[in-house]
Amino acid sequence: MVQIMTYLIENETAALLVPSRLVSQLHPHFREVMQALALQAADEARHIEVFTRRALLKRTELGLSTAGGQTSLKTLVEEPDFAIASFLLSVLGEGTFLSLLWFLDRHAADPVTAAVCRLAAQDEARHVAFGMAHLREHISQDAGILPKLANAVRRRHDVLRNTAGLNAEVFDALLLVASGSWDPSDLRRGHENVMGLLQEMDELRQKRMVHIGFSAAEAQELSALHTRNFM
Ligand SMILES: [Fe+2]
Ligand SMILES: [Fe+2]
């Protein structure tokens, strides 16, 4: 759980930095958007706080962070374009994280950890809803942005081509949490659960992309190219 929390903290930090940077670049006319982004940033700061507390509950040190995970988040944090950044972060990244947080709610060994993940997922659902509504509106006004969004996913995939993706410690930690024990039959079931999680993430990413205006074929291609680091 410490390793999973460490991974969540890193990803939540990227999710905090993106809206914080965007809100500083907005024209004051867009006050509702400023409010939504400021609330989003406050949510992420709270997620970082609560996940850090859980990680350090019985330890003095966090788990492992990897160069691949950091490179993936760096491509997200450095994206300058508002529409592309909210597509990568909210529709794809936070959308994928929803499945992860629901998974942790189902499989966490203690009720407090489960509740923390469930409550964070409620916040993420709002961030995803705002990103989707915003992009749907943007795309309805200017369908020419769809190829730009698609190319951003392809470009990011190329940049991350030589990284390992999700770090093995996080994968193993998810497997163990889903198994609940070291018993081989439990581990087999845990592995099936984690494979089911990856499949659910892929299906829901595709659904969200179709919802904002991509064709089913594009959604399938782009979902497969989404970073293996989830966010
Ligand atoms: Fe978050
Ligand atoms: Fe979020």
Side-chain angles (χ1 to χ4, degrees):
M1 194 48 78
V2 170
Q3 181 59 63
I4 293 172
M5 289 294 145
T6 303
Y7 163 82
L8 291 178
I9 294 161
E10 275 192 297
N11 284 270
E12 297 288 356
T13 304
L16 166 65
L17 295 178
V18 173
S20 303
R21 189 170 48 74
L22 295 174
V23 82
S24 73
Q25 296 166 347
L26 268 180
H27 189 286
H29 173 75
F30 299 103
R31 57 184 188 281
E32 296 94 342
V33 179
M34 275 200 281
Q35 192 181 154
L37 292 176
L39 288 171
Q40 184 170 339
D43 286 344
E44 308 303 7
R46 194 170 60 247
H47 298 168
I48 293 167
E49 161 72 6
V50 79
F51 291 148
T52 305
R53 283 196 194 199
R54 175 61 187 87
L56 299 180
L57 191 62
K58 295 177 181 173
R59 308 271 180 113
T60 51
E61 281 182 21
L62 294 174
L64 189 77
S65 164
T66 59
Q70 291 173 19
T71 309
S72 178
L73 292 174
K74 189 163 181 281
T75 60
L76 188 58
V77 170
E78 290 179 346
E79 175 52 57
D81 182 87
F82 189 114
I84 293 176
S86 59
F87 176 59
L88 295 178
L89 174 68
S90 295
V91 178
L92 298 180
E94 294 177 305
T96 302
F97 251 57
L98 270 181
S99 298
L100 177 62
L101 293 167
W102 292 330
F103 180 89
L104 292 172
D105 174 25
R106 282 198 302 279
H107 295 290
D110 66 281
V112 176
T113 303
V116 159
C117 293
R118 188 166 60 250
L119 292 169
Q122 281 176 16
D123 293 335
E124 297 306 341
R126 278 198 308 279
H127 309 163
V128 174
F130 172 72
M132 300 257 301
H134 175 76
L135 279 163
R136 239 170 98 94
E137 176 66 16
H138 190 152
I139 290 162
S140 74
Q141 309 262 340
D142 172 18
I145 191 170
L146 281 170
K148 284 185 203 155
L149 299 177
N151 283 334
V153 176
R154 296 189 188 106
R155 214 167 44 235
R156 190 177 182 208
H157 178 262
D158 284 344
V159 171
L160 299 175
R161 189 179 288 277
N162 296 319
T163 65
L166 185 70
N167 88 49
E169 279 73 11
V170 174
F171 185 88
D172 290 350
L174 288 173
L175 199 158
L176 188 58
V177 165
S179 306
S181 87
W182 293 98
D183 188 85
S185 66
D186 287 339
L187 288 170
R188 195 173 303 117
R189 189 173 37 80
H191 187 265
E192 282 166 15
N193 284 331
V194 175
M195 291 297 119
L197 168 67
L198 298 182
Q199 195 183 340
E200 178 193 300
M201 287 170 161
D202 179 40
E203 285 169 9
L204 292 181
R205 269 199 305 270
Q206 292 190 42
K207 259 193 180 162
R208 291 191 184 99
M209 279 190 271
V210 168
H211 184 72
I212 62 170
F214 284 101
S215 71
E218 283 169 325
Q220 193 180 15
E221 179 217 336
L222 297 174
S223 179
L225 296 179
H226 180 63
T227 174
R228 287 166 294 168
N229 189 49
F230 300 157
M231 180 62 88

